[in-house]
Amino acid sequence: MRNAKPEMRVIFIIILILFFAFLIAPLLVLFFRSFVTDDGGAGFSNYMEALSNNTLISAIGNSIKVSGATAIITTMLAFTLAYAVNFTRIYQPLKSAVKVGILIPMLIPTITYGFAIMYTFGNQGLLTKLFGRNLFEIYGFNGLLIGYVIYTLPAAFLLIHNSFKYIDKKFIIVSKLMGDRTLRSFLNTVVRPLLGALGGAFVLSFILSFTDFGIPASVGGTYDVVATQLYQAMLGSIPDFSQGAVIAVMMLFPAVAGVILLNYLERFNFHYDKFSETELTPSKFRDSFFGVTSAVVLLAMLSVFVVMFIAPFVTAFPYDLSFTWQHITGIFQSNDLVSVYRNSLIVAVLTAVLGTIITYGSALLNARTPIKGKQTVDIFSMITNTVPGMVLGLSYLLLFNDSSLKGTFIIIVLCNIMHYFTTPYLMAKNALTKMNPDWETSGELLGDNWIKTVYRVILPNSVSTVLEMFSYYFINAMVTISGVIFLVSAQTTVVASKINELQHFAKFNEIFVLSVLIFLTNLLVRAVCDALQKRAAIYKK
Amino acid sequence: MLELQNISKQFDQKVVLENIDLKINSGEIVSLLGPSGSGKTTLLNIILGLTRIDQGKVIFNNEDLSNVDMKNRGFNIVFQDYALFPHLNAYENIVYGLRNKKDTASAEEVREYIEFLELKPHLKKRIGELSGGQKQRVALARTLVTKPKLLLLDEPLSALDGVIKESIKERIKSIAKEFNLTTIIVTHDPEEALTISDKILIINQGNISQFGTPFEIINQPKNDFVKEFILRQLQIKRQNIYNLFGEKYA
């Protein structure tokens, strides 16, 4: 294609405006705000104040400690599970159970994890009752660690699991034939090719834990971390916007460093063009070891959530375990909670629809048009990948606080779209790049204009990806709290932020019922998208 | 008649084509032959209207098309990998263009094209279920239905094997004859070029090395490039075949 068409330019301009207004401008405002001093001048006084604040310094230390511990544990567990799924001959249904079960936490807001942990390991918790004593103190480091590991395990697993597919299993056979011992063979043919992915899983887990708000909001106790400090600064008893801006900028630093590190680690990844299917050698010891380990990890993870499905159905957990519908009907009779759930649905549907359109359009311009400056979309994608949800939400608060966008659904939706832009964008870009580059020319020669070819050819051939993007946006919009905590108003409260309020009134039944609702809704959307994808897959090949 | 006048093209300072000057008569099959990087595909794209020229003119039936959009030139192409739409079946691919211009071909004509290309048994098949040769014929049908004034084929035989190759070759010749359709083929294979075309344009490093009939190329090679790279290959092939069958079959 030799020239950009006018319709491409129009779409490109719309996308540029969106990104400048809702990504670049808010971040710039945040950045400048952190330098505005109390007397209205500019300087480093906010930073000096932050650095002399002992609570904040210790919170940063705590965040680094607990995120680091999380990253180590998550990476090891994720590797073990991915190894069990890819390189052992364990019982096939167990493999499927691991692959599906590990993703369940993604369907639940992180803030719920904290309450599930309390009800499992707390003084009156399920496991505490079973063991007859407190296993450990859950408020603070231990609770955070458990929550973060559960939260980061799915993402880390997916990353390592995908890289396993690129390992050429023939290497293992060659290594064996060359006479390598088990350890040497393992290091050379499994660990070395996965080095990039393992490092990536570590960095990813660290960043996710460092920037999450939901888990410390529920189970953090008096153990301060950066996310709770940021929340305190902005929405505590004495809001201090300048301090908030400084903490947000400080939260951005490890995220930026992490993304740079991730890009660097990318170099260690192997890329094979061909996937070869090679039979694995049988090994009783290996299979039973990994079979048992992965079953235990999976069960332990899921057992934390069991309480979420029990507590709302009994009269007074854990004292009176008689079955009742009372709590469930109570929720549906409460206009307040029903409207919160409706708000969540509105936000998720709008995010998914508009987000998919914007990301698909961006990817289309980048991957399949000759338009000048299309690389800027890649830069936007890198920025959205870097900026934590809390930081983005805070920057929106600073920029749009006096505008008519304040307290609307649309600001929450836009924040979600920007926050989660990277993954669906890369999905679309990847799918569009793989398509035949001559389709647009063929369409044009057959009398189509560009939009028509997109509608008649490009879109039908990427239905599966579009559904994937849609469900990714929907599910994340349903569960996110860090992105929207600063943006919700009394009228636009969503479930995840409502849970944060409910905990102050100790309304745990409501919390669990709302969480179950989110979970079931996400499950439904995922199932519908899967079913539609299967139908679309018939066209493929 | 297609006339190329003094065509030149540069990409980022690098000269890809220089002073290409030639005339192609109606109904002729002409091959653009050259090694990879010689500029033959660029020339094809220039004729198609996909690539803009820096200098020179493209004239078709005395009309200057140099600044006419690809869409309005009335030419059409079959790409090397066919660019068929995989979500549609063979028939839907063939009639794709008719949705835009209903009056280009009548139902009767479409049926004739399908029969001519022997595609009737495959119409309901998905693109993924077709063999290479069948895909090629579907792509030809999709293009012919738009009744192009000029047919361009980009490496039409390179993805096909053995016997299929020969049958598609015959098919292309019969299309040109049947519809009196000027056909331009890009290829890097001398044997292919010399056995399918009325005339061959040999391109080397962006320049015309020789333009002539197969007979002229074989008997009066104009320069060392034609001798070394075109004829030498054929001679080796001929020798191999002789060795297999014995000289008496020569």
Side-chain angles (χ1 to χ4, degrees), chain A residues 413-459:
Chain A
V413 169
L414 282 164
C415 182
N416 283 339
I417 291 174
M418 292 296 160
H419 181 189
Y420 294 108
F421 180 80
T422 313
T423 304
Y425 170 71
L426 291 179
M427 285 178 195
K429 191 177 161 180
N430 189 24
L432 291 169
T433 317
K434 279 185 188 152
M435 290 178 183
N436 190 311
D438 294 325
W439 280 350
E440 281 90 346
T441 308
S442 294
E444 193 175 342
L445 286 167
L446 297 170
D448 280 351
N449 59 37
W450 180 68
I451 295 281
K452 219 167 170 182
T453 306
V454 169
Y455 177 72
R456 286 181 71 188
V457 179
I458 309 293
L459 203 54

Side-chain angles (χ1 to χ4, degrees), chain B residues 112-179:
Chain B
E112 273 172 30
Y113 285 121
I114 289 170
E115 247 153 52
F116 178 75
L117 290 162
E118 294 171 32
L119 282 169
K120 214 165 177 192
H122 311 297
L123 291 178
K124 291 271 174 260
K125 285 186 188 163
R126 302 215 158 272
I127 299 310
E129 296 167 336
L130 299 172
S131 70
Q134 288 161 354
K135 279 183 199 161
Q136 174 71 273
R137 281 182 281 147
V138 172
L140 278 168
R142 181 176 75 174
T143 304
L144 290 175
V145 162
T146 65
K147 302 225 179 120
K149 297 178 201 153
L150 187 71
L151 177 63
L152 303 163
L153 305 171
D154 189 3
E155 298 273 6
L157 306 172
S158 65
L160 306 173
D161 43 28
V163 184
I164 309 281
K165 208 176 217 173
E166 295 305 323
S167 82
I168 293 282
K169 227 191 243 177
E170 288 313 309
R171 186 80 63 186
I172 292 169
K173 280 191 201 170
S174 60
I175 289 171
K177 210 176 197 176
E178 171 99 16
F179 306 106

Side-chain angles (χ1 to χ4, degrees), chain A residues 3-240:
Chain A
N3 278 333
K5 307 258 186 292
E7 52 268 44
M8 297 174 191
R9 293 219 174 82
V10 171
I11 298 176
F12 191 44
I13 288 168
I14 294 173
I15 286 169
L16 284 180
I17 291 173
L18 273 174
F19 274 97
F20 276 107
F22 295 100
L23 183 68
I24 308 298
L27 289 176
L28 287 177
V29 166
L30 169 77
F31 193 67
F32 287 125
R33 185 64 201 244
S34 73
F35 291 101
V36 175
T37 54
D38 293 337
D39 51 22
F44 290 92
S45 68
N46 295 323
Y47 285 88
M48 301 311 279
E49 194 186 323
L51 291 174
S52 60
N53 177 347
N54 285 332
T55 330
L56 179 60
I57 297 297
S58 83
I60 293 174
N62 287 345
S63 275
I64 292 172
K65 228 184 330 182
V66 69
S67 304
T70 303
I72 292 169
I73 295 173
T74 298
T75 307
M76 291 196 307
L77 289 179
F79 172 78
T80 311
L81 291 175
Y83 188 89
V85 167
N86 289 285
F87 270 23
T88 68
R89 294 166 69 162
I90 58 173
Y91 190 47
Q92 195 60 44
L94 180 59
K95 284 190 184 180
S96 313
V98 170
K99 276 194 273 186
V100 176
I102 191 101
L103 303 180
I104 285 176
M106 286 181 145
L107 306 178
I108 303 165
T110 52
I111 193 162
T112 306
Y113 298 9
F115 302 115
I117 290 168
M118 281 182 219
Y119 268 56
T120 308
F121 298 106
N123 285 335
Q124 304 296 335
L126 202 61
L127 287 185
T128 314
K129 292 272 165 196
L130 280 176
F131 285 95
R133 62 183 179 88
N134 256 351
L135 296 174
F136 44 78
E137 173 59 38
I138 51 152
Y139 297 97
F141 186 87
N142 294 329
L144 288 176
L145 187 64
I146 297 173
Y148 287 153
V149 168
I150 294 174
Y151 169 47
T152 55
L153 196 53
F157 171 80
L158 284 180
L159 189 78
I160 299 175
H161 176 63
N162 283 334
S163 298
F164 256 107
K165 290 188 195 143
Y166 288 94
I167 294 186
D168 195 335
K169 289 179 189 162
K170 284 196 187 111
F171 279 170
I172 299 172
I173 293 169
V174 171
S175 162
K176 285 236 158 68
L177 290 173
M178 295 295 179
D180 281 351
R181 305 236 167 206
T182 314
L183 182 67
R184 190 183 153 88
S185 173
F186 177 75
L187 289 176
N188 276 335
T189 60
V190 179
V191 176
R192 175 61 193 87
L194 281 179
L195 224 49
L198 292 173
F202 180 90
V203 174
L204 186 67
S205 309
F206 187 92
I207 303 177
L208 284 174
S209 315
F210 197 88
T211 58
D212 175 65
F213 173 69
I215 294 167
S218 50
V219 80
T222 53
Y223 192 84
D224 286 317
V225 290
V226 178
T228 45
Q229 285 292 304
L230 179 55
Y231 181 76
Q232 283 299 327
M234 296 305 292
L235 300 179
S237 40
I238 319 155
D240 184 344

Side-chain angles (χ1 to χ4, degrees), chain A residues 1-3 436-449 452-453 456-457 460-461 538-539 541, chain B residues 48-52 69-71 75-77 79 81 83-87 96-97 99-100 126 128 142 146:
Chain A
M1 215 173 305
R2 67 180 191 199
N3 278 333
N436 190 311
D438 294 325
W439 280 350
E440 281 90 346
T441 308
S442 294
E444 193 175 342
L445 286 167
L446 297 170
D448 280 351
N449 59 37
K452 219 167 170 182
T453 306
R456 286 181 71 188
V457 179
N461 282 294
I538 304 168
Y539 295 112
K541 234 207 84 55
Chain B
L48 179 64
L50 193 62
T51 305
R52 193 175 281 277
D69 270 353
M70 173 177 87
K71 208 172 168 173
F75 302 165
N76 211 330
I77 188 169
F79 287 106
D81 48 9
L84 294 168
F85 307 135
H87 64 297
Y96 185 97
R99 276 259 300 261
N100 295 311
R126 302 215 158 272
R142 181 176 75 174
T146 65

